[in-house]
Structure formats: C-alpha cells, structure tokens
Amino acid sequence: MAELLSGKPIALKIKEELRRELARIPGKPKLVAVQIGKDKTSDLYLSKQKKEAMLLGIDHDVLTLSPSVSQEEAIRAIKGLNEDAGVTSIILEMPVPKIIDAKSLICAIDPIKDAECMHPANIGRILFGDEAIGPCTPMAVMELIKSSGADLYGKEAVCIGHSDIVGKPLALMLLNKFATTSICHIATAERGMLKDYVNRAEVLVVAVGKPALIKGSWIKKGAIVVDVGINKEGDKIVGDVEFEEASKRASFITPVPGGVGPLTTAMLMKNIVYLFKRQREKQ
Ligand code: NAD
C-alpha cells in the first residue's frame, strides 16, 4: 500500500518558517487581489488567501473592478498598484470576464510584485534554473515529491496536463532536477497514448480535471503519484486518479483533498514574503 503524501504538515512547517522570517523584518507585506466581477470559486480562493495571510500578519486587500471594466481601465488599476509603495504583492483573480485579456493584465503586474509568479519575466527565470519564486501549484508539487525523499535525477517523470499554471512550469522544474520529463495532454489522449506514458512513469503528476481519467491499473509499481485534479462528485471532492487502485501499486500518493491544495496557499505566502524581502533590500 502506498504511503500518503499529505500537504498539511509540510504547509504548516513552511508557514512557521515564514512567520519567523517576517518577525525579523521591519514592516509587513501587503497583498492586493484584483477581482473583476464576482465569481464563487474565486471568492472561495480569496477567503482562503485572506485567512492564511492574516495568520502570518500579511495585510490583504481586494480591489474589485466592475465586470464591465475596459482592458485599459483594468491595466491602469494594476499600474496604480505597481506604483503604490504600500502594496508589495498583486494577484489577478481568475476567471476574468471573457472580454478581458488576462495575459496582458498579468504582463502589466510589476514582476517584483507578482505573487503568483505568472509574469513572463518570472516564469522565464525558471528556465534559467532560478526557482526563488515559482507558480504556486508546481512549487507545491515539487515540495510533495521532495518529501517522499526521492532523487529525481534521471527518473522518468510524466506530467499529464500542460496548462500555463501547472503542467508547463512543472515540467521545467522537473527538468531542472534532471528528471527525464514527458508532458502529455489532450492530444496524447486522443492518440490513445496516455496509458503507455503512465505505465512508464516513476513520478506521475496529473493535472487535468477529469475524475478517474487515470486508471489505477496503469500505475507503475513503486511510482510516486501526485494528483493535482480537483473534481466535485456529488458532495465529494476527488482527483483525476483512481485512488484506491493506484494506492495498491504506487509507493507514494497524494490524497485529494489534502495533498496539493493546502500546500498551494503556503507557496503563495512564500512568494509574498520573498518579494517583500527583495523590495526591502532595494530601499
Ligand atoms: P486546464 O484546463 O488549464 O488544463 C487541463 C490540461 O489537461 C490541458 O493540458 C489539457 O490538454 C489536458 N487534458 C484535457 N483532457 C485530457 C485528457 N482526456 N487526457 C489528457 N490530458 C487532458 O487545467 P488546470 O488549470 O491546469 O487545472 C487542472 C486540474 O488541476 C483542475 O482539476 C484544477 O481544479 C486543478 N488545480 C488544482 C490546484 C491545487 O492547488 N490543488 C491548482 C490548480 C489547478
């Protein structure tokens, strides 16, 4: 039976370290979340964010823009936050209304205030092997893999899902550790190749958003399995991997919920503290 890779204890440890670090620095960070219109999922994420920030003594504010705001107005609002010395971190809450181009708003965030590490200048640093900050979910995945004690050097790592926020940056992070990395996506599945890739994965990370997409019987014996997927099934939350069956073959597996999720917010806090320190050093 696989050992569980739980996110909570690691998250608690990271937040404790951040608390100690912040106690040594004068002043405190301030995060502003930019929300365009209202959205239930984003409200939930916001309240989680706010709770975690406040527990660490990080100020948290929400700038709510009208759903009919223009692209130019939204960019102006973000630039205003860039110029406000009291704001040390900015997040653009997703989703944004369809008429808004989220990518150009992300590009408007000053990289030194980019809490989610989505600005191309920050993502690009990962390409150079600089992971001082990183997109929160891939960083959480890497922490979970690290906690298994596995050495990634030369290992067959397979990411299922190639989104900008999870799969693509995660693949770079795995490459930075010299894992032999493959990325699969919808086209891999359409060619009927998913099972073959899963079969050979010594480290498997799945971030798709489809319950039971990955059959337990496909998992390589002894594999490390990180399930990023969040799916609602009735009143239950499940991942993308058939958990029971996969647990019989894997050596380590993340629970859903309780695996990647709790660590993601801790990683956000880590980025916020890092950016705050960098800004203090520049003063
Ligand atoms: P996305 O929709 O942006 O990307 C989905 C990816 O899955 C794409 O690469 C797509 O090509 C691929 N895909 C779709 N169908 C597939 C199939 N049948 N076979 C193989 N690949 C397929 O999603 P995302 O934003 O990266 O999120 C993925 C999942 O992870 C969602 O369930 C989301 O809720 C979850 N998520 C969790 C956290 C967390 O903190 N735990 C954070 C982000 C996302």
Side-chain angles (χ1 to χ4, degrees), residues 54-131:
M54 285 176 69
L55 284 171
L56 287 176
I58 295 170
D59 284 340
H60 184 282
D61 222 340
V62 182
L63 175 62
T64 308
L65 302 177
S66 152
S68 59
V69 73
S70 71
Q71 185 80 25
E72 293 69 30
E73 282 167 332
I75 287 182
R76 242 195 321 276
I78 289 174
K79 289 194 169 158
L81 297 173
N82 288 342
E83 280 153 25
D84 183 343
V87 176
T88 63
S89 271
I90 303 166
I91 284 187
L92 176 66
E93 291 299 325
M94 296 294 181
V96 296
K98 283 199 175 70
I99 50 152
I100 297 287
D101 170 24
K103 283 185 181 161
S104 62
L105 296 195
I106 289 166
C107 289
I109 297 175
D110 185 336
I112 201 148
K113 297 190 177 186
D114 171 28
E116 288 194 304
C117 190
M118 289 311 296
H119 191 288
N122 285 328
I123 292 270
R125 285 177 183 275
I126 299 171
L127 202 70
F128 284 180
D130 174 357
E131 295 178 16

Side-chain angles (χ1 to χ4, degrees), residues 128-265:
F128 284 180
D130 174 357
E131 295 178 16
I133 63 166
C136 306
T137 306
M139 293 232 295
V141 171
M142 292 306 283
E143 278 295 329
L144 285 162
I145 296 172
K146 191 170 117 193
S147 76
S148 75
D151 179 4
L152 283 170
Y153 194 87
K155 287 255 161 59
E156 282 260 18
V158 176
C159 306
I160 317 274
H162 79 317
S163 67
D164 293 349
I165 61 160
V166 190
K168 284 184 201 167
L170 176 66
L172 284 177
M173 290 177 178
L174 289 163
L175 281 174
N176 285 342
K177 295 275 182 239
F178 283 88
T180 307
T181 306
S182 309
I183 313 172
C184 302
H185 39 68
I186 185 69
T188 321
E190 282 170 3
R191 274 200 71 196
M193 305 280 286
L194 215 51
K195 182 180 172 188
D196 292 346
Y197 277 95
V198 173
N199 255 186
R200 66 186 217 210
E202 295 172 287
V203 176
L204 176 72
V205 184
V206 190
V208 173
K210 291 192 175 154
L213 174 73
I214 305 301
K215 309 299 166 211
S217 59
W218 295 358
I219 305 291
K220 189 182 175 72
K221 274 244 173 235
I224 297 168
V225 178
V226 180
D227 191 349
V228 182
I230 303 175
N231 308 291
K232 234 179 151 200
E233 275 203 330
D235 53 2
K236 267 178 72 183
I237 300 286
V238 298
D240 293 342
V241 179
E242 282 183 347
F243 183 82
E244 297 301 333
E245 273 306 303
S247 300
K248 292 180 193 157
R249 303 181 63 83
S251 57
F252 292 91
I253 190 165
T254 54
V256 179
V260 181
L263 257 179
T264 302
T265 337

